[in-house]
Amino acid sequence: MIKWQEEVFRLIDDSRRIFTAEADRHSYAYDASFGYFVPEMVVQPISTAEVVHIVKLANLYKIPLYPRGQGSCLSGGPLPVRGGIVLDLTRMDQKLELYPEDLVAVVSPGVKTADIKNEALKHGLFYPPDPSSAHVSTIGGNVAENSGGPRGLKYGVTRDYVLGLEVVTPEGKVIRTGGRTIKNVTGYDLTKLLVGSEGTLGVITEISLRLIPKPPASMSLMAVFDRLVDSGKSISAILSSGILPAAMEIMDQACIQAVEQYKPGGYPVDAEAILLVELDGHPRAIEDEMKQVEKICQDLGAREVKVARSEREKQRLWQARKLVSPAIARIKPTKISEDATVPRSRIPDMFQRLMEIRRKYNLQLVVFGHAGDGNLHPNLLVDKRDEDEMRRAEEAITEIFEAAIELGGTLSGEHGIGTMKAPYMERELGVDGVEMMKRIKQAWDPNNIMNPGKIFPEPGVTKLVLR
Ligand SMILES: Cc1cc2nc3c(=O)[nH]c(=O)nc-3n(C[C@H](O)[C@H](O)[C@H](O)COP(=O)(O)OP(=O)(O)OC[C@H]3O[C@@H](n4cnc5c(N)ncnc54)[C@H](O)[C@@H]3O)c2cc1C
């Protein structure tokens, strides 16, 4: 065993939380995206003090350090691309404290997001960010990725709920950013910088979150469209009518068919698109707004509009959307999930471009997503053993990103950059924009130990390589 590894055993008093065996290390070689990289060691800290020990050691020996939550990342964020240590933070899940009078929660990074939501509900409070992975992903991972979800439209994303952080810097110092007040304008906003920094600026060891009062009621509607483009027009019309839905989700025909095959629920497999709309607020207000949404969809060509009249009906409507990911994963062995995002008014154009890309590269490309905030999820369903198909997928992905940027959008609405989108960063931010970010990284992490190989393009690499 080499010296730095011996030192890890000396610093962490329970060797059962250190993994060096090959089989264990392979368990940390992947996430929910693409690529396989085996770390040299895995450590599961249980306290900030232990994180400090490991970070200082890594900084001294210049060992790459890869923070990791539950590995549900869709952009390669926690992958140990340069070996080194994976810091598995899932054991740091001790603290889930609620302060209802302040509308604040203080949590450890390894706490699962759904547990925070459930705990808040017990006090009549609401934690709105709701990634579909909330039952598995950690709040630390959500903060590092600035995760979103269907409610981004009305309630924003994780960043909008993080009031303060405790962070171990790459040099092993413990800093606190922000605090527990809604207003805080003291100095640079390091909290906002750290949220979405994908583990490249430090290890998040505690998070203070803003909660809001739980909306008193909610209603859901499903509209079925024979033409995808009509569903896009309905999205724009609902948003410009003055109604702000809590969520507005879209599924294309391929998704509807996959869900119906996976778990038959009587969904309309011949329709080109389904739109799901959730309104929340005062019961009388949303009853009235729902009538308007119903009429907009009908006027713009929906062949069927169904408003859920019971909790059971509501669950059934949303089940279709919840099952999309597992259902489409059965179409082909490799699922590449993208999250190109465009301004809301350009959603119909983006759909058009995606359909062209599907035809041009003859690929199984399905689309669903958070239509209300322009955050679409084009998913490519391929087989990684098929060289030619993977080559076409690489080119299609490049075109998807180019289309999003050309339409005034962004590479990522919620999945982050990681390894998967790093080659495209300069196309969105320009050389100088990326350079400014690199300077920030250099100032925080002079030895480049924190999650190296992520976000920033490797010299000469201009496109994603999947083969
Ligand atoms: C089926 C499915 C559905 C999904 N739905 C959504 C969705 O609706 N919205 C959405 O935004 N995302 C979604 N995701 C993506 C993913 O769940 C999120 O990015 C999530 O936040 C990752 O959390 P994690 O705990 O799994 O983190 P990981 O995947 O382990 O890590 C993610 C990143 O965070 C860093 N990191 C983790 N913990 C820390 C820490 N304590 N300190 C510093 N850095 C840290 C890692 O280095 C890595 O860069 C989905 C994923 C799947 C598989």
Side-chain angles (χ1 to χ4, degrees):
M1 195 175 290
I2 43 185
K3 189 154 186 295
W4 66 262
Q5 293 185 332
E6 281 170 7
E7 290 210 29
V8 173
F9 278 95
R10 192 175 55 74
L11 290 168
I12 303 290
D13 60 11
D14 182 355
S15 61
R16 286 170 305 177
R17 293 188 279 108
I18 306 169
F19 302 96
T20 51
E22 204 178 340
D24 294 325
R25 289 186 288 117
H26 276 271
S27 305
Y28 288 85
Y30 53 87
D31 65 359
S33 69
F34 216 85
Y36 196 86
F37 303 88
V38 185
E40 287 155 83
M41 181 180 253
V42 179
V43 183
Q44 295 178 323
I46 52 169
S47 66
T48 302
E50 285 189 347
V51 174
V52 170
H53 287 326
I54 302 297
V55 174
K56 279 190 172 160
L57 187 82
N59 198 42
L60 182 68
Y61 287 90
K62 301 192 176 51
I63 310 293
L65 194 58
Y66 292 96
R68 182 182 175 99
Q70 287 282 358
S72 69
C73 189
L74 292 167
S75 57
L79 296 178
V81 294
R82 295 194 188 154
I85 303 173
V86 164
L87 205 59
D88 171 1
L89 293 146
T90 53
R91 301 281 294 268
M92 278 184 74
D93 61 352
Q94 302 85 347
K95 193 182 276 185
L96 201 182
E97 289 170 0
L98 249 76
Y99 299 90
E101 65 283 14
D102 292 334
L103 285 87
V104 164
V106 180
V107 299
S108 303
V111 172
K112 292 205 183 73
T113 312
D115 293 341
I116 301 171
K117 194 176 297 289
N118 292 337
E119 195 57 31
L121 284 175
K122 286 184 198 161
H123 298 267
L125 297 174
F126 187 37
Y127 177 65
D130 189 25
S132 308
S133 58
H135 285 86
V136 288
S137 62
T138 66
I139 187 68
N142 284 190
V143 172
E145 291 292 341
N146 190 17
S147 294
R151 296 210 173 85
L153 169 61
K154 180 169 180 178
Y155 292 106
V157 294
T158 303
R159 174 172 283 137
D160 302 306
Y161 294 85
V162 181
L163 294 173
L165 296 170
E166 179 190 83
V167 176
V168 178
T169 71
E171 290 167 296
K173 299 195 171 114
V174 181
I175 60 165
R176 284 194 167 269
T177 71
R180 281 170 60 173
T181 55
I182 300 294
K183 288 182 170 171
N184 182 330
V185 295
T186 309
Y188 292 149
D189 194 341
L190 296 184
T191 312
K192 286 234 173 353
L193 175 63
L194 285 156
V195 179
S197 63
E198 302 189 28
T200 60
L201 298 181
V203 183
I204 299 158
T205 47
E206 190 181 276
I207 304 138
S208 298
L209 293 169
R210 178 168 79 94
L211 305 173
I212 61 171
K214 183 181 166 310
S218 71
M219 286 179 83
S220 293
L221 161 150
M222 176 189 271
V224 179
F225 290 89
D226 285 329
R227 285 166 22 107
L228 187 63
V229 61
D230 292 339
S231 64
K233 286 182 189 153
S234 300
I235 294 163
S236 301
I238 293 167
L239 290 169
S240 50
S241 72
I243 296 169
L244 186 56
M248 187 147 57
E249 297 283 302
I250 191 159
M251 291 165 60
D252 76 355
Q253 187 172 40
C255 294
I256 306 166
Q257 290 173 347
V259 168
E260 188 61 19
Q261 270 175 22
Y262 180 64
K263 197 163 178 192
Y267 300 110
V269 289
D270 58 333
E272 269 197 14
I274 282 178
L275 195 62
L276 286 158
V277 183
E278 183 180 286
L279 301 179
D280 66 6
H282 191 282
R284 282 204 295 278
I286 58 173
E287 185 76 47
D288 187 53
E289 288 179 346
M290 197 49 113
K291 284 197 190 109
Q292 294 180 51
V293 173
E294 211 175 337
K295 180 156 182 336
I296 291 170
C297 293
Q298 277 158 349
D299 289 351
L300 287 170
R303 78 165 192 229
E304 188 193 341
V305 182
K306 190 171 170 36
V307 178
R309 288 289 159 200
S310 66
E311 191 52 38
R312 203 160 150 262
E313 272 182 32
K314 197 198 283 179
Q315 297 301 333
R316 209 190 75 78
L317 293 190
W318 281 96
Q319 169 161 299
R321 173 66 181 85
K322 292 211 161 82
L323 292 177
V324 171
S325 276
I328 61 171
R330 298 195 342 160
I331 296 178
K332 283 223 164 186
T334 313
K335 174 164 139 337
I336 304 170
S337 184
E338 288 308 344
D339 72 329
T341 302
V342 292
R344 299 178 241 223
S345 62
R346 308 308 298 271
I347 291 173
D349 301 315
M350 190 64 184
F351 272 132
Q352 194 60 41
R353 297 285 289 269
L354 290 171
M355 296 311 117
E356 284 162 19
I357 293 169
R358 170 156 73 192
R359 272 193 299 276
K360 179 171 172 190
Y361 293 103
N362 187 24
L363 287 166
Q364 299 235 31
L365 192 164
V366 305
V367 191
F368 61 95
H370 316 306
D373 54 24
N375 183 195
L376 298 175
H377 290 312
N379 274 248
L380 289 169
L381 305 162
V382 289
D383 183 344
K384 70 176 168 196
R385 294 163 299 189
D386 183 338
E387 277 261 328
D388 179 57
E389 193 173 47
M390 294 312 272
R391 187 188 49 74
R392 281 181 283 129
E394 285 167 5
E395 287 177 24
I397 287 171
T398 302
E399 280 201 29
I400 291 172
F401 293 144
E402 276 167 358
I405 293 170
E406 271 169 42
L407 292 171
T410 176
L411 294 171
S412 176
E414 56 182 22
H415 294 169
I417 300 301
T419 54
M420 301 276 289
K421 293 171 202 162
Y424 307 96
M425 283 287 271
E426 283 178 1
R427 285 184 218 191
E428 181 175 337
L429 301 172
V431 177
D432 293 338
V434 173
E435 179 55 31
M436 193 53 84
M437 289 193 186
K438 281 187 180 163
R439 286 197 216 169
I440 293 173
K441 166 75 172 165
Q442 167 69 24
W444 277 72
D445 184 13
N447 289 321
N448 194 23
I449 59 154
M450 286 299 309
N451 213 354
K454 308 298 164 63
I455 297 186
F456 299 109
E458 298 288 321
V461 182
T462 54
K463 65 180 239 186
L464 176 67
V465 179
L466 298 168
R467 292 158 293 157

